[in-house]
Amino acid sequence: MDPCPFVRVLVGNLALKMPSATNRGGGATSGAGVHPTTAPCYCRIRLNKLSYQTASAPLLPPSEEGPASCTGAFAAAFHVSKADLDRAAAKPALFAPRRTARLKVAVYAGRRGSSCGGVSSGRLLGKVVVPLDLKAAAAKPVVFHSGWVSIGKRRGAGRKPAAGGGGAAAGNAHAQLNLTVRAEPDPRFVFEFDGEPECSPQVLQVQGRMKQPMFTCKFSCRSNSDLRSRSVQSDPGNGGRNWLAKFGSERERMGKERKGWSVTVHDLSGSPVALASMVTPFVASPGTDRVSRSNPGGWLILRPVDGTWTPWGRLECWRERGGGGAGGDSLGYRFELVPDHTNSGVGVCVAESAVSASKGGRFAIDLTAAQPFGRSGSPGCSPRGSGDFGHGLWPFGSFRGFVMSAAVQGEGRCSKPTVEVGVAHVGCAEDAAAFVALAAAVDLSMDACRLFSCKLRRELSASRAELLR
């Protein structure tokens, strides 16, 4: 399997120094009305047209300078695909400016939040623009900026590094922002379902414009007892039976429920290499027609180990009111590694968020923010990185940085998930198959969490599944 090139742009080490509120002559400076001890500050960060990300900017005394003032904290991460890299590397048209990625950092004073219309509620202090040569970053790590830079409304401010942190005369004093911007190669394997998971599709590996079959999926809709006896053969010695007993029998409810779905992923030889099994039914909470966060449905993601299905991860999903944009509902999710695959012996949550139920979004496992942010291009927790975590102390096992993401379509839309998996997390085809099974479970959960007043598609009907056996 050959990966596709991706680049990850990381921003961190944010810190802010403000000029004195008044100068020696008593006149107000550009920082008037903002005192380091009373006004919180934050940054809105954006790469090209990607979504904004927000991070706090700690205030430091104006007298502090140099690397010792840096917080070492992660602020934002942006992921650039091969298509974006190709556009950045393309030759511009005649008389057209050269295409260059631009990282924009806007600094605000005030508490985070949005007013009506989506405009930031803070007071803009200034902006910084950092040009990025992403083509170079596709080959090796590149640090584009590291240090202090002046911000302000004066023309040209925010582009020249600050010489020092002292005060200035009225009209010339500017706040100073410290930041580190770096980019590094982040190659990924890309897989695409050629149909909806409930239609037992093929899964293709994508390499540029080329697509080739890699896996096949088999969807089944069975009762819980049938699932435990036929779909999963648990080994009493490895704890698999305990997981199935725990999650297959709890919170059973009479009445409305969706249960027994499973997706088995096979390699091209027909051997099963991963399995997603719904082991906790998706049940409507009493008095409602929705799956609540307090009573979520659950899936187990299993892998074959010595001929026996062994739990690898657990996914829980539910339906949340609001949070889906324009007041719509959202699909909440939580994914954790099961004990046998963590260093601590207990389940560890590696992803928890929500996507819009109407518009969809992306399910992602990305632990970049959990790693210490260093100035070097190496990962914060690698042996040569700047992190403090040793390999044995890292709570997420072998998961580091970007792990995987999957596109999730909204309700009622044709869904053919695209799955991206970091190269560092795939040692063999079976590793990739586990993430493919997880992506299928997330996609099917969008249907499992639909309001019970809505009728499911016939492909998800247990009665139809019985006829297809």
Side-chain angles (χ1 to χ4, degrees):
M1 298 190 301
D2 294 326
C4 295
F6 277 74
V7 168
R8 180 172 56 174
V9 178
L10 304 175
V11 183
N13 290 333
L14 293 182
L16 188 65
K17 289 192 292 188
M18 301 293 299
S20 302
T22 58
N23 62 13
R24 296 179 181 179
T29 69
S30 61
V34 180
H35 194 279
T37 60
T38 60
C41 296
Y42 64 93
C43 297
R44 295 187 72 198
I45 308 168
R46 189 178 193 183
L47 176 64
N48 289 354
K49 296 182 180 181
L50 299 178
S51 300
Y52 283 100
Q53 298 185 37
T54 306
S56 298
L59 286 158
L60 301 176
S63 59
E64 290 192 22
E65 298 182 23
S69 303
C70 300
T71 62
F74 166 85
F78 298 92
H79 305 278
V80 184
S81 67
K82 183 181 185 301
D84 295 328
L85 293 174
D86 290 342
R87 282 191 290 268
K91 292 183 179 180
L94 188 63
F95 303 120
R98 182 182 178 183
R99 295 183 179 94
T100 303
R102 293 159 62 88
L103 182 81
K104 299 180 181 180
V105 182
V107 184
Y108 293 85
R111 299 190 180 278
R112 301 188 200 182
S114 298
S115 59
C116 295
V119 180
S120 176
S121 60
R123 183 168 67 87
L124 178 65
L125 299 178
K127 298 180 179 180
V128 176
V129 178
V130 181
L132 309 179
D133 182 2
L134 296 180
K135 182 179 179 181
K140 63 179 180 180
V142 178
V143 177
F144 293 106
H145 179 86
S146 183
W148 293 96
V149 62
S150 295
I151 60 174
K153 297 183 179 180
R154 183 180 63 182
R155 185 176 183 180
R159 298 181 183 177
K160 299 179 181 180
N172 290 325
H174 290 273
Q176 298 174 33
L177 176 71
N178 184 91
L179 79 159
T180 299
V181 181
R182 75 171 189 254
E184 56 193 30
D186 189 24
R188 303 173 187 179
F189 295 107
V190 180
F191 304 96
E192 181 180 283
F193 288 69
D194 71 351
E196 298 177 296
E198 60 268 31
C199 297
S200 300
Q202 277 191 325
V203 179
L204 312 175
Q205 184 183 0
V206 181
Q207 297 170 298
R209 296 183 179 180
M210 296 179 57
K211 298 181 180 180
Q212 59 181 358
M214 182 58 63
F215 305 108
T216 59
C217 294
K218 176 62 177 178
F219 174 79
S220 300
C221 185
R222 298 168 177 166
S223 66
N224 276 3
S225 59
D226 193 23
L227 177 67
R228 284 194 294 271
S229 63
R230 296 173 57 183
S231 295
V232 180
Q233 300 175 4
S234 57
D235 183 356
N238 64 11
R241 182 176 60 184
N242 294 334
W243 275 89
L244 293 173
K246 177 180 179 181
F247 296 115
S249 61
E250 289 182 355
R251 300 190 294 274
E252 293 282 348
R253 296 289 185 270
M254 296 298 293
K256 298 179 180 179
E257 62 180 10
R258 294 157 183 162
K259 63 182 180 179
W261 301 355
S262 67
V263 175
T264 307
V265 180
H266 300 82
D267 61 19
L268 296 182
S269 68
S271 301
V273 287
L275 173 66
S277 298
M278 184 188 290
V279 291
T280 301
F282 285 70
V283 182
S285 295
T288 72
D289 62 348
R290 65 179 58 230
V291 179
S292 68
R293 185 183 185 122
S294 61
N295 188 30
W299 298 78
L300 275 185
I301 313 301
L302 303 104
R303 303 182 59 181
V305 177
D306 297 329
T308 299
W309 286 118
T310 302
W312 171 70
R314 171 166 171 79
L315 173 71
E316 290 184 334
C317 293
W318 59 89
R319 190 181 182 95
E320 292 186 344
R321 295 181 184 274
D329 289 349
S330 61
L331 173 73
Y333 64 81
R334 172 186 170 89
F335 178 72
E336 65 178 28
L337 300 176
V338 300
D340 290 345
H341 294 270
T342 63
N343 294 331
S344 59
V346 297
V348 175
C349 178
V350 293
E352 184 170 7
S353 187
V355 297
S356 171
S358 59
K359 298 180 180 180
R362 295 197 74 85
F363 168 88
I365 303 175
D366 191 346
L367 302 176
T368 303
Q371 298 178 213
F373 185 87
R375 290 179 173 269
S376 66
S378 59
C381 57
S382 69
R384 296 184 180 181
S386 59
D388 297 325
F389 291 4
H391 178 79
L393 299 179
W394 183 246
F396 306 109
S398 61
F399 282 11
R400 286 172 171 77
F402 171 83
V403 180
M404 68 89 69
S405 69
V408 181
Q409 295 296 325
E411 294 175 338
R413 299 185 182 185
C414 180
S415 182
K416 300 178 181 180
T418 298
V419 187
E420 299 172 4
V421 186
V423 168
H425 304 95
V426 178
C428 58
E430 289 78 5
D431 294 338
F435 292 109
V436 169
L438 174 59
V442 174
D443 187 87
L444 289 168
S445 293
M446 184 66 77
D447 289 296
C449 287
R450 292 195 71 175
L451 298 176
F452 280 84
S453 56
C454 299
K455 186 177 181 180
L456 291 180
R457 288 173 289 183
R458 61 178 183 174
E459 290 85 0
L460 298 168
S461 169
S463 59
R464 183 175 186 271
E466 290 291 335
L467 293 175
L468 295 177
R469 287 190 180 182

